[in-house]
Amino acid sequence: MSYRPPFYKRFPQDYLSSSTTRKMTLAEHGVYNLLLDYAWLEEQTATLPADFTVLSKLTGIKKRILIHFVAKYPQLVIRLASNPQLLYNPRQMAEYQEFLQTVEKNRLAGLASGKARQAKSTPVERASNHREKELELEKDKRREEAPAPPSPSFSGQHLSVTTKQDALLGEGFPWIDRPAEYRKVDSWLEANPERRPKKSTRFLHNWFSRITQPKGGANGKDVNSAVETTMRGFAANSGLPS
C-alpha cells in the first residue's frame, strides 16, 4: 500500500483561472473534483481504474458521464504509461511524486543524523544506551513469561473464591460440598444486599464452621440434611439471618 498524506494542495486562483476549467459546466466541475478526491484516496495513490464500469461503482458517477468527461478533457485524465489500466491527473501525480521525494529525503537525513550522533557519543554513553536496551528487553521477556493470574475456583454474582481460598477451606472442612455452599452463599448475598460482608474469607469460614461433620463422615448419606439443620440460628458473628 502506498503512503500518502491525508490531503492534496488546491489553489483556487489556479483552478478558476485555468482555460480548461473555465469551460466546464457545473456538473463537470463536480465530476472532476470527485475524480481527484477518489484518486487521492485510492491505495495506488493519485490513480483511478481505467475500467469505466469499475470507476462508476467506485465514484457513484454514471458510466456514460465518465466516458464523456474523459473524452472531452483528455489533458486532465490520462492513462498511466506504465500501466494503461490506471488513470491519473498530471498535476496531482506530480504533487504525489514530490511528496515521496520529500519523505525519502527526510528519511535519509534522519539516518545521517543518527549516525552522526552515534559517532559523537562517548564509549560510556554507548554502553549506557546498550544497557538500557538490554533492560527493556529483559522487562519485555519477564512480562511475556509472567504466569497468568490464577482463575477463581468459584465466581458468582456477589462471591468470588480463589483457588488458594478454596484449597484452605477444603483442608479445614473436607466433608463439605464447597461448590454447592458457594452457590448458596452467593444466593444469600443476592437476597441480603444490606448485610454483605467486607471480607469474604472470614464470612465463608464462619459459614462453614456452622456446618458440623455428620456422623457418617464426609461420605455419609445424611450430609445435606445435617448441613440444613446446622445452618439454623447462625447470625451473630457472620451476619447471616437466623
Side-chain angles (χ1 to χ4, degrees), residues 12-24:
Q13 184 175 355
D14 293 349
Y15 182 85
L16 296 175
S17 63
S18 168
S19 59
T20 302
T21 55
R22 281 204 309 260
K23 297 177 184 179
M24 287 184 181

Side-chain angles (χ1 to χ4, degrees), residues 1-191:
M1 179 184 295
S2 301
Y3 175 73
R4 55 168 173 73
F7 62 92
Y8 60 92
K9 298 176 184 177
R10 179 181 175 89
F11 300 95
Q13 184 175 355
D14 293 349
Y15 182 85
L16 296 175
S17 63
S18 168
S19 59
T20 302
T21 55
R22 281 204 309 260
K23 297 177 184 179
M24 287 184 181
T25 64
L26 185 61
E28 288 172 342
H29 278 292
V31 170
Y32 183 39
N33 283 279
L34 275 176
L35 290 177
L36 291 176
D37 287 348
Y38 275 102
W40 197 254
L41 292 176
E42 280 295 284
E43 291 184 0
Q44 297 294 333
T45 306
T47 62
L48 288 169
D51 186 326
F52 290 108
T53 300
V54 176
L55 186 57
S56 176
K57 291 180 180 179
L58 174 67
T59 62
I61 305 171
K62 291 183 179 180
K63 181 178 178 181
R64 61 179 178 81
I65 296 177
L66 291 170
I67 295 174
H68 173 76
F69 183 86
V70 173
K72 186 176 180 180
Y73 301 102
Q75 72 276 30
L76 298 181
V77 186
I78 306 173
R79 287 184 182 272
L80 194 64
S82 60
N83 187 353
Q85 299 301 316
L86 296 175
L87 301 172
Y88 74 99
N89 174 266
R91 178 163 182 168
Q92 194 178 60
M93 180 62 74
E95 180 182 334
Y96 178 61
Q97 294 300 327
E98 180 183 353
F99 166 75
L100 290 181
Q101 292 173 6
T102 302
V103 170
E104 181 64 13
K105 181 180 178 180
N106 292 339
R107 186 186 71 83
L108 295 175
L111 290 175
S113 177
K115 290 180 180 179
R117 286 195 302 271
Q118 185 175 8
K120 291 180 180 179
S121 62
T122 65
V124 174
E125 290 174 336
R126 288 196 292 271
S128 177
N129 292 335
H130 181 70
R131 180 54 181 164
E132 287 178 0
K133 292 181 180 179
E134 287 184 340
L135 291 174
E136 287 297 326
L137 290 174
E138 290 177 2
K139 289 180 181 178
D140 293 340
K141 185 176 181 181
R142 285 197 296 269
R143 281 194 291 266
E144 293 175 357
E145 295 177 351
S151 57
S153 177
F154 175 83
S155 181
Q157 187 174 359
H158 304 287
L159 176 69
S160 180
V161 183
T162 66
T163 304
K164 181 179 180 180
Q165 289 174 329
D166 180 65
L168 291 174
L169 289 169
E171 291 177 1
F173 307 95
W175 63 89
I176 295 178
D177 182 359
R178 297 188 305 283
E181 292 303 315
Y182 295 151
R183 289 191 291 271
K184 291 179 184 178
V185 172
D186 197 50
S187 177
W188 185 88
L189 293 174
E190 170 67 23

